[in-house]
Amino acid sequence: MGVTAVPFPLPRGACSIAASLELVGERWSLLVIREVAWGSHRFSDIARGTGAPRDRLTARLNSLVAAGVLEKRAYSDAPPRSGYHLTAAGRDLLPVLQALLQWGDKWVADEPPVLLKHAPAGHAEHPVDAEWICRTCGEPAIGSRVTRELTPAGRVLSGLPADEEHDHEH
Amino acid sequence: MGVTAVPFPLPRGACSIAASLELVGERWSLLVIREVAWGSHRFSDIARGTGAPRDRLTARLNSLVAAGVLEKRAYSDAPPRSGYHLTAAGRDLLPVLQALLQWGDKWVADEPPVLLKHAPAGHAEHPVDAEWICRTCGEPAIGSRVTRELTPAGRVLSGLPADEEHDHEH
DNA sequence: CCTCCTGAGTTTGACGATCGAACTGACCAT
DNA sequence: ATGGTCAGTTCGATCGTCAAACTCAGGAGG
């Protein structure tokens, strides 16, 4: 909830991955979010940081604002200027960015260009090496430990009969 | 390492997020990986599951194989047929998919269409609700707890002077 | 007052990517 | 022979993306 616009139509076999990609899966979108998350808030800084063409950047910024991921905040009246900031939904995309960063560090970069450092209270500063842990049980939650199940809502979206009982109509 | 092809050119301000997106950031790529990860291995199943046009699917499958994320494995000689399977690099993308799934469940779906279930040894089955935890210190590793630092490799890619000492030239 | 500069876009025209639908070609079952 | 499945290819039309040029405001310098 809280997120609205729908750039491209929802692919068959609907799932939340597809839904997320509709909002942030277009070219430049995630790089724009990275720039804003890392402290660039003005149009020109984001343009420089991502390398996106200015007209594409305008389009992406607008669609991300429409999607509820970014918000526009004025920082000057005289020449009317505003910067872009993450909403709560935008901040919740940080795990996606970190997953991509860790994957790129491991599989594509010869040497990571950016290091993430972690300094929680009571611990010395050290590089981040994170894994996906289930809040409920504290165990790693990835791969074969995880199974999938279609909900009633999912069955409807997939065009299947709504309940799991076999239906008697031919 | 292990990953090779480069579909679209590297944006300025290189980081591993951009590098990852070059390999798996094109339209359909992540949905294709979802389909394969969730058990569709044949062309037609992937086409049905993602909704991608067949020519696009051919292109994406080829680029993902070239990227080292998928591999083609023959399952029939007589009519020469092969299916697509995740490589180790491909399996390492599961956290990206799960991060997108969780974000979509929280921010775009009214009701999640697919539920992830977790059943580790010694725990009852329950829905997955995962977060990034640092392997080194066991603390959550996201947002303000994490800081960034440009490595020497990163400075070179960003076109900055290679060492962090101030240079004395002019 | 006139000119240059910056910041945030918008417009333009060329070009490449993407679309759905139709087609191919190999194999199998009847 | 006919129909069906599978893994693509080919097609013409549309859509997205690109770099560069342009707009429109408000300073700053002269």
Side-chain angles (χ1 to χ4, degrees), chain A residues 100 103, chain B residues 20 24 30 33 69 88-98:
Chain A
L100 286 166
W103 189 82
Chain B
S20 299
V24 298
L30 284 168
I33 293 163
V69 167
R91 279 189 292 279
D92 273 350
L93 281 168
L94 286 174
V96 174
L97 294 181
Q98 253 185 63

Side-chain angles (χ1 to χ4, degrees), chain B residues 72-90:
Chain B
K72 223 170 170 168
R73 210 181 287 166
Y75 66 87
S76 150
D77 283 329
R81 292 290 140 80
S82 31
Y84 297 86
H85 295 261
L86 294 181
T87 62

Side-chain angles (χ1 to χ4, degrees), chain B residues 27-28 51 53-56 60 78-79 81:
Chain B
R27 211 184 164 183
W28 304 116
R54 308 172 74 75
D55 63 338
R56 290 299 89 207
R60 282 304 85 87
R81 292 290 140 80

Side-chain angles (χ1 to χ4, degrees), chain A residues 8 12 16 20 27 48 89 92 100 103 105-107 112 115 117-118 129 131 133 135 147 149 151, chain B residues 8 12 16 20 27 48 89 92 100 103 105-107 112 115 117 129 131 133 135 140 147 149 151:
Chain A
F8 54 82
R12 179 188 306 275
S16 291
S20 299
R27 212 187 164 179
R48 196 176 9 262
D92 273 351
L100 286 166
W103 189 82
D105 279 352
K106 179 167 180 185
W107 291 101
L115 257 189
K117 296 269 204 163
H118 195 205
D129 173 28
E131 81 188 306
I133 297 285
R135 284 192 182 91
T147 58
E149 196 172 278
T151 65
Chain B
F8 55 82
R12 178 190 305 278
S16 290
S20 299
R27 211 184 164 183
R48 197 177 8 262
D92 273 350
L100 286 166
W103 189 83
D105 280 351
K106 179 167 180 185
W107 291 101
L115 257 190
K117 296 269 203 164
D129 173 27
E131 70 184 322
I133 299 285
R135 285 193 181 90
T147 57
E149 196 171 279
T151 65

Side-chain angles (χ1 to χ4, degrees), chain B residues 3 5-6 8 25 45 50 55 85 90 100 118 124 131 139 153 156 160 162 164 168:
Chain B
V3 165
V6 179
F8 55 82
D45 293 340
T50 58
D55 63 338
H85 295 261
L100 286 166
H118 194 205
E131 70 184 322
E139 298 290 321
V156 173
L160 293 169
E164 55 230 47
H168 302 267

Side-chain angles (χ1 to χ4, degrees), chain B residues 130-169:
Chain B
E131 70 184 322
W132 278 122
I133 299 285
C134 178
R135 285 193 181 90
T136 307
C137 66
E139 298 290 321
I142 200 71
S144 60
R145 278 172 279 250
V146 175
T147 57
R148 291 167 306 284
E149 196 171 279
L150 211 53
T151 65
R155 318 191 110 250
V156 173
L157 288 169
S158 310
L160 293 169
D163 60 7
E164 55 230 47
E165 312 297 325
H166 57 288
D167 52 341
H168 302 267
E169 326 278 327

